Amino acid sequence: MKEKTFQILHFKEMNTLYEYINVSVCTQNPNLHIYKFSDFTQDSLKVMKPHSKDFHQVSFITGFGDSQLNINQSKVQKVNAVLYFISPQHIYSWVRDPKIEGFILNFKQSLLPFKPAEFQERFRYFNLDELNAIPISQDQIERVIELFNDLYKEYNEPRTAFSQEILQHYLLALLYKCLNLFDSRTEEMYKSQTNDGVFYRFQNLINNYYLTKRSVKEYSELLHITPNHLSETIKKSTGQNALHFINERLLLEAKNLLVYSIDDIKGIAYMLNFASPSHFGKFFKKHTGQTPLQYRGQYTSKK
């Protein structure tokens, strides 16, 4: 029997992504687009499968509705606002609360006056091994909203001879403001190899690699520490072993797909990079006490 090839959705262009998620926006500029969560409709997707794209994204969430925000697996409530940074290297997925508010900014790195390596080094919040989601404090939120609003208004102005240059200016101002916020946030966490610093980096790496890396050893190599050191550090910080968090991230994705998507169990198993549906079923039942079909059934019966 031929082994199923692991593949994820990939979008080269912004409009192709918009069409897939059924959101009522379209951009005439292939390098830059900004829109609002309010542009999603009742018919837009509520869950997005793991995917990648050929452009960068900055999501600024200012209202979460009734949902809880998960940053690095830790539930954060009563957050004023959060910035998410997604690069073409990310494998990304989401479940959308219809009441969510804020902006989505998509752009291609080629729009900016940096070589790819220089851009990656400068705007570190897009790197896979850095913190890709940062909460915004109350004293900063108005300034960040202002920057997104300025770019949004300029984008929707009639095009002029210098529109591209003006949009680039607003984009750079926003990215540098994000860099200030990122540096402030990470300085307190990463200034030394404290237990919490290692834990946050470990969690961020899991969010970015959970489909392809399933062992403590693989993550310890990314963190440049030994597996024993990683395990002991996570245990001290959380009381749980490191493998617990790897499995939890995979289970979270599986549960979201079972509840919100229409894909069959076989499709979900291969989407999550399991060798076979039976491997997926054994993993899921071991950690939840239910088969994937039983778990899905308790939700579909309520619809």
Side-chain angles (χ1 to χ4, degrees):
M1 181 178 175
K2 188 176 180 181
E3 186 177 342
K4 180 81 173 182
T5 303
F6 168 58
Q7 292 181 323
I8 63 164
L9 292 169
H10 180 75
F11 299 94
K12 291 186 176 181
E13 301 299 333
M14 299 171 197
N15 285 336
T16 309
L17 172 62
Y18 302 153
E19 183 178 354
Y20 183 88
I21 62 179
N22 194 26
V23 61
S24 57
V25 297
C26 182
T27 177
Q28 301 302 315
N29 184 339
N31 297 314
L32 176 69
H33 186 229
I34 183 170
Y35 64 109
K36 296 182 179 181
F37 281 104
S38 57
D39 290 315
F40 284 84
T41 67
Q42 197 68 22
D43 296 326
S44 301
L45 284 186
K46 291 182 174 60
V47 59
M48 183 59 175
K49 304 172 187 178
H51 66 283
S52 62
K53 41 191 177 268
D54 282 350
F55 42 92
H56 289 75
Q57 182 181 100
V58 181
S59 294
F60 181 44
I61 302 175
T62 57
F64 303 98
D66 297 327
S67 64
Q68 290 182 332
L69 174 69
N70 290 290
I71 299 176
N72 298 322
Q73 301 287 321
S74 300
K75 289 184 178 179
V76 180
Q77 294 176 295
K78 299 180 181 178
V79 177
N80 295 310
V82 171
L83 285 163
Y84 280 96
F85 305 99
I86 309 299
S87 77
Q89 288 73 44
H90 280 88
I91 295 174
Y92 186 50
S93 64
W94 42 259
V95 175
R96 179 179 58 84
D97 186 317
K99 298 178 182 178
I100 196 169
E101 297 176 357
F103 295 88
I104 302 169
L105 166 64
N106 291 318
F107 68 94
K108 292 189 176 180
Q109 186 268 318
S110 57
L111 178 67
L112 299 173
F114 306 107
K115 294 180 180 179
E118 182 185 2
F119 176 87
Q120 186 173 345
E121 182 178 356
R122 184 173 302 230
F123 301 107
R124 301 182 305 282
Y125 41 70
F126 286 113
N127 295 346
L128 295 181
D129 60 346
E130 295 285 358
L131 192 66
N132 303 132
I134 55 174
I136 307 303
S137 61
Q138 187 64 48
D139 61 335
Q140 292 282 354
I141 188 172
E142 288 186 10
R143 177 56 180 150
V144 178
I145 290 175
E146 180 184 356
L147 286 167
F148 273 89
N149 268 324
D150 286 345
L151 181 55
Y152 181 82
K153 290 175 183 176
E154 187 60 40
Y155 180 87
N156 289 290
E157 286 287 322
R159 294 292 180 262
T160 66
F162 301 105
S163 289
Q164 190 81 341
E165 289 80 4
I166 295 169
L167 286 170
Q168 185 186 77
H169 166 79
Y170 280 118
L171 175 59
L172 279 171
L174 192 153
L175 292 177
Y176 277 117
K177 178 61 177 177
C178 289
L179 187 57
N180 282 339
L181 296 169
F182 172 82
D183 285 343
S184 174
R185 177 68 176 169
T186 55
E187 182 181 359
E188 59 194 57
M189 291 195 328
Y190 298 163
K191 58 186 176 183
S192 64
Q193 285 290 81
T194 61
N195 288 354
D196 285 345
V198 173
F199 174 61
Y200 276 105
R201 293 179 64 201
F202 173 58
Q203 289 284 48
N204 200 67
L205 287 168
I206 292 173
N207 283 334
N208 294 325
Y209 289 105
Y210 68 95
L211 287 181
T212 57
K213 299 184 187 300
R214 305 281 170 85
S215 71
V216 175
K217 183 176 183 294
E218 288 175 300
Y219 287 100
S220 69
E221 289 172 350
L222 292 172
L223 290 164
H224 307 292
I225 57 180
T226 67
N228 283 341
H229 180 50
L230 175 58
S231 296
E232 291 171 2
T233 301
I234 300 306
K235 189 74 172 179
K236 288 178 182 176
S237 293
T238 68
Q240 299 279 2
N241 61 46
L243 189 59
H244 166 83
F245 293 98
I246 299 171
N247 291 335
E248 280 296 298
R249 181 62 185 89
L250 193 56
L251 281 169
L252 174 64
E253 196 67 41
K255 289 176 180 178
N256 285 339
L257 290 169
L258 288 168
V259 173
Y260 296 104
S261 79
I262 60 173
D263 295 278
D264 59 23
I265 306 299
K266 182 179 179 180
I268 291 173
Y270 289 128
M271 196 185 306
L272 297 177
N273 202 20
F274 282 90
S276 69
S278 64
H279 281 82
F280 172 52
K282 289 175 183 176
F283 170 84
F284 194 88
K285 188 166 186 178
K286 176 183 176 182
H287 294 284
T288 67
Q290 295 177 295
T291 67
L293 196 59
Q294 288 170 335
Y295 184 85
R296 168 173 272 179
Q298 69 187 13
Y299 288 92
T300 54
S301 63
K302 297 176 183 177
K303 292 181 180 180

